Amino acid sequence: MVTRIAPPEKPWRLASPKTMPLIEIDQLSKHYQVYQKQEGLWASVRGLFHRQYRQITALDAISLQVERGEFVAFLGPNGAGKTTTLKILSGVIHPTSGTCRVMGHVPWQRANAYRRRFALVMGQKNQLWWDLPAQESFRLHQHIYQIPAEQFQATRDELVDLLGLAKLMRQPVRELSLGERMKMELTAALLHRPEILFLDEPTIGLDVVAQHNIQQFLKHYQEVRSITILLTSHYMKDIEALCQRVVIINEGRIQFDGSLAEIVGKFDQERIVSLRLADTTGIADLQQFGRVTRSQPPQVQLRIPRSQVTSALTEILNRYQVDDVSVSDPPLEEVFAHLFTQGREATDQGASAPKEDMAGSRRLTGEARH
Amino acid sequence: MADDVRTKPQQSANRIVNEPIPDATAGDGITGTGPLVYWRVFRTFVRNSLVRSMGFRANFWLECVSSVCWTIMNLVFFKIVFSYTDSIGRNTGWGENEFFVFLGTTWIITALIQTFVMPNAQEFSELIRTGHLDFALLKPIDTQFLISFPQMVWSNLANLFLGILLVGYAVLRLMADESNPLTLGFTQVGLYLFFILCGLVILYSVMIAMASTSIWLGRNQTLYTFWFYLTNFYRQPMEIYQQGMWGWTLWGFFTFVIPILLVVNVPARILAEPLRPGLDERTWSLAGLTLLVTLLMLGLSRWVFQAALTSYRSASS
């Protein structure tokens, strides 16, 4: 099931004598006990005295290696285990079993020497002081991370400059927009120049412009600083723009590990051909070339198997008067949706717990974990 | 806006590239987590919380006024009590002025706890429930320190000044007492301050240990209720419990199990000397016990805290 593809060789890796990967995860599992809440008042009262728990598997023996300087995306539906992985890697939670080493440290031992070298940014939680200008939180970080004054100023000014935050430094965080706040969060997280950056849905809830800004920033920053970034996101745009390597997690297992191009090549066997016809006669016959997904004469959209695209196009151009033609890949969303359903079907065939049930109990406890 | 960011990287690129790329051992260069770091972080907490409370000016003054009012009513209440009696308990030595030293000490300790400890204990419980404790766990600094001091509610400090005033006033009255004057040396004042500190540490330990249980309980909103129970018991001279089976049981429980009776009693006894001249043997043995209890409670709270952290589940994403 798991497709392991070695990450591409990087020039700086050749220069470095170390061959040990930066992040090594081996057979990592995480189970939660979750209180089963029954419906209704009487059941709730009973729940005060006698509780039923069920076990949820957030991570099911995943193994993974990441090299220095990689930009890896974790992709998967809600509750797949992406956030859990990041939380274990950053030492916030302990795994149930398995081993993990990041830069030679066991994350959940929470050694200060380790904690100085990475940062975690979460789109859903913010760490800046809500009622104060972000500048005050930055100062606190300076003292906590013991950043020398000169380095602190240089780093801060550089980040503020890159993210265009200069005008917002004196505003209380609560008065910033979501996008501005996320930029401030990123700045705070990067002040101590971490070597690894864990990003948990950094663009969640942002508008297209803000998303784009943050993508541009991350891309640029990762390139010049050659830091290692692990990112989870729901937005395919993030992943398309940023990551060379994609790890697909579903139901606590790694379904795929490789480059974006490989996914598209492997799972996406069709191309989308859009036509604008000058003459719509015989439009119905187009379906012999492929699946017609949209027909609004004079516009027609077809799905044609990848291998037949060339021959089909030649034929179509011969037979019809075509004003305009374009060929594109199906949207990534579709590819992933397909992948996730595949994973689910595979699990459902096994005698495991029904999926619906699991999602339901997560929602009820109000403490869903990813 | 989008153009802004798109063009910026090119401009600043040179500046960044010139700096050395961090190598694997860069982080190990700084290993010092000496007291200086903690002092600087603490100072920043003080600064930030001050800026924050000044930001809500009206709220700040309202809080000051309401807590001062409550405290003055408290004083009036005991004035009335002492219009019916000369002392609290027979032959205990807690006359009006001695008791006002006790009362002032209670205010001082309560004000300090409500300024520095309670907001953080409460916030800690909240951090656990919302999963924001994540950020504290990421920082290369002692987690217990980090969650113990970030929030300070400065308006609660108003009572500290009232307490100091009351203690000062009552001590002067005692020193002016012609029949049995109080004589104070520097050692005694020093010991008074030291045992106030011990009392603060004991209360801090109890509250932090209580708040830590939120990790197992999911949420613990009984903190303030619990604090209310505690203050109800520690604000009385311990002699009032020392009679009858129930009284002695309470005394034993709050001296040895949850040792909050020592918090105010020991420093107040040292300063007011209810059985003067001189400090009686009992005061010294209580002081010794307090010293031991302080260290024990601090150790215990640290142990509970660490144990709780390993069970942290980090709510939500």
Side-chain angles (χ1 to χ4, degrees):
Chain A
M1 191 72 214
V2 176
T3 323
R4 263 298 289 151
I5 286 121
E9 286 289 319
K10 308 247 163 40
W12 57 85
R13 270 184 60 219
L14 298 175
S16 158
K18 285 174 194 157
T19 46
M20 216 180 69
L22 199 67
I23 299 175
E24 254 185 309
I25 301 174
D26 192 27
Q27 296 288 309
L28 206 63
S29 293
K30 177 75 186 174
H31 306 297
Y32 287 111
Q33 294 282 339
V34 175
Y35 161 44
Q36 275 301 99
K37 208 168 170 183
Q38 310 293 324
E39 223 170 294
L41 178 63
W42 175 236
S44 298
V45 173
R46 250 188 339 194
L48 282 176
F49 304 99
H50 178 73
R51 298 205 149 185
Q52 287 186 318
Y53 292 92
R54 64 178 291 145
Q55 188 160 291
I56 281 185
T57 302
L59 283 184
D60 190 4
I62 66 161
S63 299
L64 189 71
Q65 296 193 343
V66 178
E67 304 285 334
R68 184 173 290 279
E70 278 195 273
F71 202 140
V72 183
F74 284 100
L75 203 64
N78 284 334
K82 299 168 300 201
T83 305
T84 305
T85 310
L86 289 196
K87 279 177 179 170
I88 291 175
L89 286 175
S90 52
V92 169
I93 53 176
H94 291 234
T96 312
S97 65
T99 61
C100 169
R101 285 196 163 257
V102 186
M103 298 185 287
H105 293 276
V106 175
W108 49 92
Q109 288 175 352
R110 297 176 189 144
N112 285 343
Y114 174 56
R115 294 195 288 193
R116 273 195 204 95
R117 293 171 63 182
F118 73 90
L120 168 68
V121 175
M122 290 178 273
Q124 307 268 42
K125 293 180 187 173
N126 55 68
Q127 63 166 329
L128 302 172
W129 288 48
W130 191 244
D131 293 318
L132 295 178
Q135 170 59 29
E136 309 294 341
S137 297
F138 295 167
R139 202 193 307 272
L140 184 64
H141 277 226
Q142 182 197 348
H143 294 313
I144 290 176
Y145 285 97
Q146 303 177 56
I147 309 168
E150 262 176 48
Q151 186 196 322
F152 170 73
Q153 262 174 18
T155 317
R156 185 197 56 195
D157 293 348
E158 169 200 319
L159 291 165
V160 165
D161 185 37
L162 279 171
L163 287 162
L165 294 171
K167 280 183 210 147
L168 305 170
M169 294 297 280
R170 306 229 57 84
Q171 258 180 48
V173 170
R174 63 164 189 270
E175 289 171 12
L176 299 176
S177 74
L178 191 59
E180 290 163 349
R181 214 160 66 217
M182 187 35 70
K183 289 178 189 172
M184 290 292 188
E185 291 280 344
L186 274 171
T187 307
L190 293 171
L191 282 174
H192 63 285
R193 299 189 182 168
E195 295 160 61
I196 301 183
L197 180 59
F198 299 117
L199 293 166
D200 189 28
E201 297 176 24
T203 56
I204 195 155
L206 301 186
D207 65 54
V208 184
V209 178
Q211 270 182 42
H212 179 79
N213 284 350
I214 286 185
Q215 285 162 10
Q216 289 294 311
F217 167 75
L218 289 174
K219 198 178 170 78
H220 168 75
Y221 197 82
Q222 199 262 349
E223 275 167 16
V224 284
R225 281 245 183 265
S226 68
I227 61 173
T228 311
I229 302 184
L230 269 65
L231 166 135
T232 76
S233 181
H234 286 307
Y235 296 110
M236 306 309 154
K237 284 268 185 303
D238 284 353
I239 286 140
E240 266 181 304
L242 298 171
C243 303
Q244 305 102 339
R245 181 173 166 199
V246 179
V247 175
I248 295 179
I249 301 185
N250 198 11
E251 318 220 314
R253 266 172 254 159
I254 295 180
Q255 308 276 355
F256 176 87
D257 182 350
S259 73
L260 200 58
E262 284 169 77
I263 298 185
V264 175
K266 188 166 176 197
F267 297 96
D268 149 39
Q269 308 295 341
E270 289 179 329
R271 313 209 91 198
I272 298 176
V273 175
S274 304
L275 301 167
R276 200 172 72 223
L277 303 173
D279 179 8
T280 53
T281 45
I283 200 167
D285 295 337
L286 275 170
Q287 61 190 2
Q288 61 179 290
F289 301 103
R291 211 146 44 84
V292 177
T293 48
R294 204 170 59 206
S295 177
Q296 288 170 316
Q299 315 246 9
V300 183
Q301 205 179 65
L302 287 166
R303 295 246 169 162
I304 300 175
R306 192 177 278 269
S307 55
Q308 297 162 27
V309 169
T310 333
S311 57
L313 266 182
T314 325
E315 189 71 19
I316 290 169
L317 290 173
N318 268 337
R319 279 207 222 164
Y320 295 87
Q321 270 190 294
V322 179
D323 272 351
D324 192 19
V325 63
S326 73
V327 181
S328 62
D329 288 325
L332 266 180
E333 278 88 346
E334 206 175 277
V335 180
F336 290 126
H338 182 62
L339 252 176
F340 297 155
T341 11
Q342 265 196 344
R344 187 163 309 161
E345 278 157 11
T347 340
D348 283 352
Q349 277 162 16
S352 62
K355 169 78 178 155
E356 275 310 306
D357 229 318
M358 200 164 109
S361 64
R362 267 168 215 246
R363 217 173 305 119
L364 281 172
T365 51
E367 291 191 349
R369 290 169 187 86
H370 303 162
Chain B
M1 184 103 173
D3 290 333
D4 234 34
V5 171
R6 226 176 298 160
T7 51
K8 276 271 165 58
Q10 275 86 47
Q11 290 166 10
S12 339
N14 291 334
R15 189 147 51 92
I16 308 173
V17 171
N18 287 339
E19 288 171 42
I21 291 168
D23 75 303
T25 53
D28 297 326
I30 322 162
T31 45
T33 40
L36 204 61
V37 180
Y38 287 87
W39 170 243
R40 280 203 205 104
V41 172
F42 182 76
R43 233 175 34 191
T44 316
F45 284 151
V46 171
R47 212 189 99 94
N48 284 4
S49 60
L50 270 174
V51 173
R52 186 165 170 264
S53 41
M54 302 306 172
F56 303 100
R57 206 172 36 163
N59 181 63
F60 177 79
W61 288 116
L62 266 176
E63 278 178 359
C64 284
V65 168
S66 77
S67 68
V68 165
C69 282
W70 190 88
T71 304
I72 288 171
M73 283 192 280
N74 196 225
L75 182 65
V76 172
F77 170 76
F78 282 108
K79 268 293 200 194
I80 296 170
V81 168
F82 278 103
S83 72
Y84 292 103
T85 179
D86 289 333
S87 76
I88 297 203
R90 254 165 277 136
N91 304 321
T92 58
W94 289 111
E96 183 171 346
N97 288 320
E98 286 88 352
F99 182 74
F100 281 169
V101 172
F102 188 98
L103 188 62
T105 309
T106 313
W107 291 355
I108 291 173
I109 289 176
T110 310
L112 288 170
I113 292 289
Q114 290 191 337
T115 305
F116 296 105
V117 177
M118 283 313 290
N120 292 302
Q122 183 82 352
E123 180 67 15
F124 177 43
S125 184
E126 200 56 22
L127 288 179
I128 292 161
R129 195 182 63 81
T130 57
H132 278 80
L133 186 62
D134 294 2
F135 292 114
L137 293 170
L138 299 175
K139 301 289 182 292
I141 194 165
D142 187 75
T143 308
Q144 187 171 354
F145 168 80
L146 202 60
I147 57 100
S148 292
F149 298 107
Q151 316 268 336
M152 298 166 199
V153 180
W154 292 98
S155 50
N156 286 333
L157 220 49
N159 284 337
L160 173 74
F161 300 109
L162 284 185
I164 293 171
L165 279 180
L166 184 63
V167 169
Y169 168 78
V171 162
L172 286 180
R173 290 272 303 259
L174 284 172
M175 289 170 94
D177 187 349
E178 278 168 16
S179 59
N180 188 6
L182 173 72
T183 47
L184 281 183
F186 282 114
T187 333
Q188 231 168 318
V189 176
L191 279 176
Y192 172 70
L193 295 177
F194 175 76
F195 279 101
I196 283 191
L197 191 71
C198 288
L200 292 173
V201 172
I202 292 174
L203 288 176
Y204 161 82
S205 305
V206 172
M207 293 319 296
I208 280 296
M210 275 289 291
S212 301
T213 60
S214 316
I215 286 184
W216 294 297
L217 304 177
R219 105 187 308 189
N220 190 345
Q221 288 189 313
T222 58
L223 280 183
Y224 266 95
T225 324
F226 187 72
W227 168 241
F228 174 75
Y229 295 148
L230 288 190
T231 52
N232 258 334
F233 282 102
Y234 79 48
R235 69 168 82 212
Q236 267 67 258
M238 58 166 67
E239 283 87 345
I240 68 159
Y241 298 109
Q242 292 170 340
Q243 55 175 330
M245 191 187 76
W246 290 111
W248 280 106
T249 310
L250 276 182
W251 177 82
F253 184 76
F254 287 116
T255 306
F256 299 105
V257 185
I258 305 181
I260 48 157
L261 266 181
L262 303 170
V263 170
V264 183
N265 270 278
V266 173
R269 282 182 86 91
I270 288 174
L271 196 69
E273 279 182 41
L275 299 173
R276 59 184 176 275
L279 292 168
D280 59 327
E281 208 172 281
R282 193 140 168 215
T283 309
W284 288 118
S285 47
L286 283 176
L289 178 64
T290 307
L291 208 58
L292 191 74
V293 158
T294 306
L295 294 174
L296 229 107
M297 288 300 286
L298 193 62
L300 190 75
S301 78
R302 183 133 187 106
W303 180 76
V304 172
F305 182 83
Q306 302 281 9
L309 280 195
T310 56
S311 309
Y312 178 58
R313 290 170 60 153
S314 174
S316 163
S317 51

Coordinates of all heavy atoms in Angstrom, one line a residue, chain A residues 275-283 286 297-300 316 320-324:
Chain A
L275 N -13.2 22.3 -25.3 CA -13.3 22.8 -26.7 C -14.3 23.9 -26.8 O -15.3 23.9 -26.1 CB -13.8 21.6 -27.5 CG -12.9 20.3 -27.6 CD1 -13.8 19.2 -28.2 CD2 -11.7 20.5 -28.3
R276 N -14.0 24.8 -27.7 CA -15.1 25.7 -28.1 C -15.2 25.5 -29.6 O -14.3 25.7 -30.4 CB -14.7 27.2 -27.8 CG -16.0 28.0 -27.8 CD -15.8 29.4 -27.3 NE -15.1 30.2 -28.2 CZ -14.1 31.0 -27.9 NH1 -13.7 31.1 -26.6 NH2 -13.4 31.7 -28.8
L277 N -16.4 25.1 -30.0 CA -16.7 24.8 -31.4 C -17.2 26.0 -32.1 O -18.0 26.7 -31.6 CB -17.7 23.6 -31.5 CG -17.2 22.3 -30.7 CD1 -18.4 21.3 -30.7 CD2 -16.0 21.8 -31.3
A278 N -16.8 26.1 -33.4 CA -17.4 27.1 -34.3 C -18.7 26.7 -34.8 O -19.6 27.4 -35.0 CB -16.4 27.5 -35.4
D279 N -18.8 25.4 -35.0 CA -20.0 24.8 -35.6 C -20.4 23.6 -34.7 O -19.6 22.7 -34.5 CB -19.6 24.3 -37.0 CG -20.9 23.7 -37.7 OD1 -22.0 23.8 -37.1 OD2 -20.7 23.1 -38.8
T280 N -21.6 23.7 -34.2 CA -22.0 22.7 -33.2 C -22.6 21.4 -33.8 O -23.1 20.6 -33.0 CB -22.9 23.3 -32.1 OG1 -24.0 23.9 -32.8 CG2 -22.2 24.3 -31.3
T281 N -22.7 21.3 -35.1 CA -23.3 20.1 -35.6 C -22.5 18.9 -35.3 O -21.2 18.9 -35.3 CB -23.4 20.2 -37.1 OG1 -22.2 20.7 -37.7 CG2 -24.6 21.1 -37.6
G282 N -23.2 17.8 -34.9 CA -22.5 16.6 -34.5 C -21.9 16.6 -33.2 O -21.0 15.8 -32.9
I283 N -22.3 17.5 -32.4 CA -21.7 17.7 -31.0 C -21.9 16.4 -30.2 O -21.1 16.1 -29.3 CB -22.3 18.9 -30.4 CG1 -21.4 19.4 -29.2 CG2 -23.7 18.7 -29.8 CD1 -21.7 20.8 -28.7
L286 N -19.3 13.6 -30.0 CA -18.0 13.7 -29.2 C -17.7 12.7 -28.2 O -16.6 12.4 -27.8 CB -17.9 15.1 -28.6 CG -17.5 16.3 -29.5 CD1 -17.7 17.6 -28.9 CD2 -16.0 16.1 -29.9
P297 N -23.1 24.1 -25.4 CA -22.7 24.5 -26.8 C -22.6 26.1 -26.8 O -23.5 26.7 -26.3 CB -23.9 24.1 -27.7 CG -24.5 22.9 -26.9 CD -24.3 23.2 -25.5
P298 N -21.6 26.6 -27.4 CA -20.6 25.9 -28.2 C -19.4 25.3 -27.3 O -18.4 24.8 -27.9 CB -20.0 26.9 -29.1 CG -20.2 28.2 -28.3 CD -21.4 28.1 -27.5
Q299 N -19.5 25.3 -26.0 CA -18.4 24.8 -25.1 C -18.7 23.4 -24.7 O -19.8 23.0 -24.3 CB -18.3 25.6 -23.9 CG -18.4 27.1 -24.1 CD -17.1 27.8 -23.7 OE1 -16.1 27.1 -23.5 NE2 -17.1 29.1 -23.7
V300 N -17.6 22.6 -24.8 CA -17.7 21.2 -24.4 C -16.5 20.8 -23.6 O -15.4 21.2 -24.0 CB -17.9 20.2 -25.7 CG1 -18.1 18.8 -25.2 CG2 -19.0 20.6 -26.5
I316 N -10.5 14.9 -33.5 CA -11.5 16.0 -33.3 C -11.2 17.2 -34.2 O -12.1 17.8 -34.8 CB -11.5 16.4 -31.8 CG1 -12.1 15.3 -30.9 CG2 -12.3 17.7 -31.6 CD1 -11.9 15.4 -29.4
Y320 N -14.1 18.5 -36.6 CA -14.9 19.6 -36.2 C -14.1 20.9 -36.5 O -12.9 21.0 -36.6 CB -15.2 19.5 -34.7 CG -16.0 18.4 -34.3 CD1 -15.4 17.1 -34.0 CD2 -17.4 18.5 -34.2 CE1 -16.2 16.1 -33.7 CE2 -18.2 17.4 -33.9 CZ -17.6 16.2 -33.6 OH -18.4 15.1 -33.2
Q321 N -15.0 22.0 -36.5 CA -14.4 23.3 -36.6 C -14.2 23.8 -35.2 O -15.2 24.2 -34.5 CB -15.3 24.2 -37.4 CG -15.1 24.2 -38.9 CD -15.8 25.3 -39.5 OE1 -17.1 25.3 -39.5 NE2 -15.1 26.3 -40.1
V322 N -13.0 23.9 -34.8 CA -12.7 24.2 -33.4 C -12.1 25.6 -33.3 O -11.1 25.9 -33.9 CB -11.8 23.2 -32.7 CG1 -11.5 23.6 -31.3 CG2 -12.4 21.8 -32.8
D323 N -12.7 26.5 -32.4 CA -12.2 27.8 -32.2 C -11.1 27.8 -31.2 O -10.1 28.6 -31.3 CB -13.3 28.7 -31.7 CG -14.1 29.4 -32.8 OD1 -13.7 29.2 -33.9 OD2 -15.2 30.0 -32.5
D324 N -11.3 27.0 -30.2 CA -10.3 27.1 -29.1 C -10.2 25.7 -28.4 O -11.2 25.0 -28.3 CB -10.8 28.1 -28.0 CG -9.8 28.5 -27.0 OD1 -8.6 28.2 -27.3 OD2 -10.1 29.0 -25.9

